[in-house]
Amino acid sequence: MKQFTNPITFKHGLTIKNRIAIAPMTTRMSYFNGKVTNDEINYYASRTGETGLFITGVAYIQPDGIGWTGELGVHSDDCIPGLSKLAAAIKENGSRAILQIFHAGRMTNSQTLQGLPIVAPSKVPANRPNAEISKELTIESIEDIIQNFKEATRRAILSGFDGIELHGANHFLLQQFFSPHSNRRTDKYGGSLEKRYQFIREVVDAVLATVDELAPQNFIVGYRISPREETTPGYNLEETLWLVDKLADTDLDYLHLSLTYFHGKTNLPDYQEKSMLQYIYETINGRIPLISVGQIHTRKDLEAALQHSDIAAIGSAILLDPHWIQKILTHQDDSIRHTMSPIEKDTLQISDGAFEFLAAINPDRIL
Ligand SMILES: Cc1cc2nc3c(=O)[nH]c(=O)nc-3n(C[C@H](O)[C@H](O)[C@H](O)COP(=O)(O)O)c2cc1C
């Protein structure tokens, strides 16, 4: 049986020292133009070293791809010096640094875009309060976005990251192309499952080609997915298993689920026997490592998540206790902090914006 202390080596050759990852969590600490701040570097430095894999909060690949202010940027070569400092800070003591990259698509607003239009696969507002109508992407602008995913990958390589993660989850642009809610296109990018996968295929191929051309041999590429949507129409686990099967046959180094609870089930009557994680793990069947996530707060949770995944990602628990991993590794479980009060934000180096996300996901952990 695999232990969380066992290393794992990815297809492109990178080895990580244990099976614990820090989940991507936006700090909302970057400058208005996406550049890294010193506060942000201190935040990452305070939580690294113990984890095998540290995935950064998401970074936007082009100006109209930003989702919220304070988000990390990888949209211009001017971002490279700051990103280089960030990668170096994360890589202290042997943790591997992964830059998560995305385009937010329709999951943004005019205020954040400061005059740039909101773009998405189709002109359908997102299923959330105050969602604005987006402009449908032209074929030319889709090609530009793919080019900008390549450019972002090149910048991550130049900045010294060990890899990138394509953020294809949480309703952002990559997911918007796969979703029948946001994608109503009738061209080669919309319609059948295969066509809704076309944009993902092109981005994955383009990024992997960039890595082949420019990266050191062991640079890795991961892909994050959300297993189901709550919207009608929306995709559910059945279509996700189709997507997972496709992605598992590519040259990607890992797949990463985005789950609220690692043991969560879908609502489909035919898929009630097991967790979504387990169905996905069994579909992959060893072809590619799978990262689990979602309310992993104790050793028991960690071990249970690793029964149906290869690596477990820890999010909120790391915000509440920066040394959660070290305490697990050295059997000091009793000293782990599981709650915080808002006045501790500064001591824990958590920004107001990140605290809002944390409190929304874990209201019971805020005193
Ligand atoms: C403050 C905060 C910021 C987050 N930012 C991101 C992000 O940038 N990219 C992403 O894929 N998920 C993001 N997430 C989701 C986490 O990666 C993770 O999936 C989620 O918090 C569930 O794991 P947990 O229960 O261990 O917190 C964020 C979560 C929090 C709490």
Side-chain angles (χ1 to χ4, degrees):
M1 200 186 106
K2 60 179 131 34
Q3 309 284 332
F4 54 78
T5 47
N6 293 159
I8 178 169
T9 301
F10 297 100
K11 258 182 227 165
H12 281 91
L14 188 81
T15 298
I16 56 171
K17 61 184 176 182
N18 58 43
R19 307 272 181 137
I20 309 177
I22 296 189
M25 286 185 288
T26 184
T27 62
R28 302 195 72 171
M29 280 177 187
S30 306
Y31 287 114
F32 71 95
N33 56 6
K35 288 195 187 170
V36 176
T37 58
N38 286 337
D39 282 352
E40 201 159 24
I41 290 176
N42 292 339
Y43 160 86
Y44 281 93
S46 70
R47 283 165 171 81
T48 198
E50 300 155 2
T51 184
L53 202 64
F54 201 141
I55 306 163
T56 66
V58 76
Y60 61 103
I61 60 157
Q62 61 184 58
D64 65 8
I66 187 170
W68 50 87
T69 45
E71 191 175 277
L72 205 52
V74 60
H75 51 89
S76 130
D77 282 0
D78 291 346
C79 299
I80 294 174
L83 289 171
S84 303
K85 284 190 201 159
L86 185 62
I90 295 175
K91 285 163 81 171
E92 280 283 308
N93 297 323
S95 292
R96 303 297 193 169
I98 306 298
L99 183 70
Q100 191 189 53
I101 63 173
F102 87 154
H103 186 300
R106 66 181 186 172
M107 293 294 281
T108 185
N109 56 56
S110 312
Q111 203 184 351
T112 305
L113 289 184
Q114 298 184 31
L116 292 172
I118 301 173
V119 294
S122 304
K123 270 176 141 173
V124 186
N127 186 34
R128 61 175 185 171
N130 307 318
E132 295 172 57
I133 303 249
S134 43
K135 201 173 134 207
E136 178 168 312
L137 283 161
T138 61
I139 294 283
E140 250 180 16
S141 38
I142 291 175
E143 285 163 2
D144 284 348
I145 292 174
I146 296 170
Q147 185 57 34
N148 285 330
F149 269 108
K150 285 174 73 94
E151 285 293 290
T153 305
R154 176 180 66 78
R155 293 182 191 116
I157 295 167
L158 288 176
S159 304
F161 281 91
D162 295 300
I164 56 141
E165 178 174 292
L166 292 165
H167 193 354
N170 302 358
H171 302 286
F172 298 118
L173 189 69
L174 280 156
Q175 179 175 333
Q176 285 162 35
F177 270 91
F178 193 63
S179 165
H181 186 277
S182 39
N183 185 347
R184 313 283 171 105
R185 300 178 74 94
T186 52
D187 60 7
K188 67 171 178 164
Y189 292 107
S192 65
L193 211 50
E194 194 76 51
K195 286 181 170 177
R196 283 187 276 127
Y197 175 61
Q198 182 64 23
F199 178 69
I200 297 176
R201 183 204 311 275
E202 289 181 16
V203 171
V204 169
D205 286 352
V207 162
L208 286 170
T210 305
V211 168
D212 278 352
E213 194 190 333
L214 301 175
Q217 224 180 0
N218 58 0
F219 188 92
I220 65 170
V221 182
Y223 194 98
R224 192 168 211 206
I225 56 170
S226 288
R228 61 181 293 263
E229 295 181 318
E230 302 277 349
T231 50
T232 312
Y235 71 81
N236 209 322
L237 185 63
E238 230 166 7
E239 287 167 303
T240 300
L241 295 180
W242 182 94
L243 174 64
V244 162
D245 189 53
K246 288 274 177 196
L247 293 172
D249 280 339
T250 65
D251 257 349
L252 286 167
D253 289 275
Y254 69 80
L255 289 184
H256 182 182
L257 285 187
S258 179
L259 288 166
T260 310
Y261 298 101
F262 72 89
H263 46 74
K265 286 186 180 177
T266 180
N267 56 351
L268 294 176
D270 290 348
Y271 291 87
Q272 288 306 308
E273 237 175 75
K274 305 169 192 172
S275 64
M276 290 189 278
L277 178 66
Q278 193 171 347
Y279 281 115
I280 289 169
Y281 195 49
E282 288 173 7
T283 298
I284 293 174
N285 197 16
R287 282 177 285 171
I288 185 171
L290 178 66
I291 305 186
S292 54
V293 78
Q295 301 283 327
I296 300 172
H297 285 274
T298 63
R299 177 183 303 272
K300 208 167 139 226
D301 297 338
L302 178 62
E303 288 172 347
L306 284 174
Q307 276 179 18
H308 306 298
S309 61
D310 303 283
I311 298 163
I314 319 297
S316 315
I318 295 286
L319 293 181
L320 298 165
D321 189 335
H323 297 293
W324 188 93
I325 298 173
Q326 187 61 15
K327 289 178 182 174
I328 291 282
L329 292 173
T330 56
H331 296 272
Q332 297 179 64
D333 305 35
D334 288 348
S335 68
I336 290 175
R337 289 169 49 121
H338 292 287
T339 53
M340 68 176 278
S341 73
I343 54 166
E344 289 173 297
K345 278 199 308 270
D346 291 348
T347 325
L348 289 168
Q349 291 167 301
I350 301 172
S351 69
D352 290 353
F355 181 77
E356 254 175 54
F357 278 15
L358 172 68
I361 297 178
N362 292 279
D364 53 324
R365 297 195 182 261
I366 309 299
L367 300 171

